[in-house]
């Protein structure tokens, strides 16, 4: 589990087949879980300047691989330990969808970011709810049919790779896991009721 507070910005050194090598000050232990742009991965090899992780074929299918090419900057967050403070929200490191940044607008003391994504995950996205974008815990301000608006404060903007984002940038999206669980619980209850009605008829 993670909480969406970025430990540091790392840099991709190499990506070959399924092996991703990251340059970072933070050095994990072999076997540690670590989120790279919000994707939960396992450290498999350690170097003096960083570490390696393995990306399964399934992971490679659901993330924008262009964001993991050599020279790209990435968010790094180690897994939470028992007793750690949760200042963001609970994040599993499981990507629900890829989003596309449509607009970044600078306001007086913040940045509005509009992100478009698949309509079928919009049911988990609610105004003032939580969402993780490339692993960063954020609050949703406004929701539309296939997009949503975030407001990024200057501290977050300057201390994450948001400062490198441009329109059409692809990002990893993880919706709030409690929203997903609640939706599926009520959906299952509704499906059971519908089945009972059909059986009665």
């Amino acid at each position: 589990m993670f909480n969406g507070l970025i430990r540091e910005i790392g840099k991709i050194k190499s990506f070959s087949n399924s092996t991703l090598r990251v340059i970072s000050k933070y050095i994990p232990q072999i076997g540690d879980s670590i989120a790279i742009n919000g994707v939960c991965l396992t450290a498999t090899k350690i170097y003096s300047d960083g570490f390696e992780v393995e990306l399964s074929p399934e992971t490679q299918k659901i993330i924008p691989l262009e964001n993991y090419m050599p020279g790209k900057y990435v968010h790094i967050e180690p897994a939470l330990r028992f007793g750690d403070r949760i200042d963001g929200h609970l994040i599993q490191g499981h990507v629900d969808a890829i989003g596309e940044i449509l607009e970044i607008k600078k306001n007086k003391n913040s940045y509005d970011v509009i992100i478009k994504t698949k309509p079928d995950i919009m049911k988990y996205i609610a105004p003032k709810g939580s969402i993780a974008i490339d692993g960063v815990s954020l609050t949703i301000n406004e929701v539309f049919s296939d997009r949503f608006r975030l407001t990024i404060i200057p501290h977050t903007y300057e201390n994450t790779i948001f400062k490198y984002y441009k329109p059409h940038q692809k990002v990893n999206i993880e919706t709030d896991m409690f929203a997903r669980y609640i939706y599926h619980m009520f959906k299952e209850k509704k499906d059971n009721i519908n089945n009972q009605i059909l059986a009665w008829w």
Side-chain angles (χ1 to χ4, degrees):
M1 300 292 289
F2 307 90
N3 72 351
L5 299 185
I6 304 307
R7 173 69 170 262
E8 72 169 279
I9 296 176
K11 190 175 185 179
I12 303 299
K13 185 168 186 176
S14 64
F15 185 14
S16 178
N17 297 322
S18 62
T19 302
L20 184 72
R21 183 169 172 181
V22 182
I23 300 171
S24 70
K25 295 178 183 177
Y26 173 75
I27 306 296
Q29 300 293 316
I30 291 178
D32 282 358
S33 293
I34 188 163
I36 308 297
N37 277 359
V39 181
C40 181
L41 300 167
T42 301
T44 56
K45 196 169 183 179
I46 307 302
Y47 299 91
S48 60
D49 64 346
F51 57 92
E52 274 186 2
V53 292
E54 292 287 329
L55 274 68
S56 70
E58 177 66 21
T59 298
Q60 293 188 50
K61 283 194 302 184
I62 62 173
I63 63 174
L65 292 177
E66 63 268 25
N67 292 349
Y68 296 83
M69 294 296 106
K72 292 287 188 179
Y73 292 103
V74 291
H75 294 137
I76 295 175
E77 183 189 356
L80 290 171
R81 296 182 179 182
F82 185 76
D84 283 351
R85 289 178 56 182
I86 301 175
D87 290 327
H89 73 283
L90 288 174
I91 295 170
Q92 295 176 298
H94 302 160
V95 175
D96 292 312
I98 293 173
E100 179 185 357
I101 294 178
L102 297 181
E103 182 181 356
I104 302 173
K105 180 182 177 183
K106 189 177 188 308
N107 298 317
K108 185 175 180 180
N109 64 341
S110 63
Y111 297 83
D112 276 349
V113 180
I114 307 293
I115 300 178
K116 182 178 180 179
T117 189
K118 298 190 303 182
D120 62 352
I121 72 160
M122 294 303 298
K123 55 183 172 283
Y124 308 129
I125 299 175
K128 306 308 176 185
S130 296
I131 198 165
I133 303 298
D134 276 347
V136 181
S137 175
L138 296 165
T139 299
I140 302 154
N141 276 338
E142 196 171 7
V143 177
F144 307 96
S145 61
D146 63 349
R147 63 199 65 191
F148 53 92
R149 179 174 63 85
L150 307 169
T151 298
I152 313 297
I153 63 173
H155 176 81
T156 301
Y157 189 85
E158 292 299 330
N159 289 279
T160 65
I161 60 175
F162 267 84
K163 61 178 175 280
Y164 302 126
Y165 290 164
K166 305 291 183 187
H168 307 299
Q169 166 88 34
K170 300 295 177 60
V171 293
N172 295 324
I173 295 176
E174 180 180 338
T175 56
D176 182 31
M177 68 176 186
F178 295 115
R180 296 197 304 271
Y181 290 151
I182 291 169
Y183 175 84
H184 281 287
M185 282 191 298
F186 279 96
K187 182 177 183 298
E188 183 177 349
K189 185 176 181 180
K190 181 180 177 182
D191 290 345
N192 288 337
I193 292 172
N194 288 339
N195 288 336
Q196 289 172 10
I197 292 172
L198 288 172
W200 183 77
W201 282 103

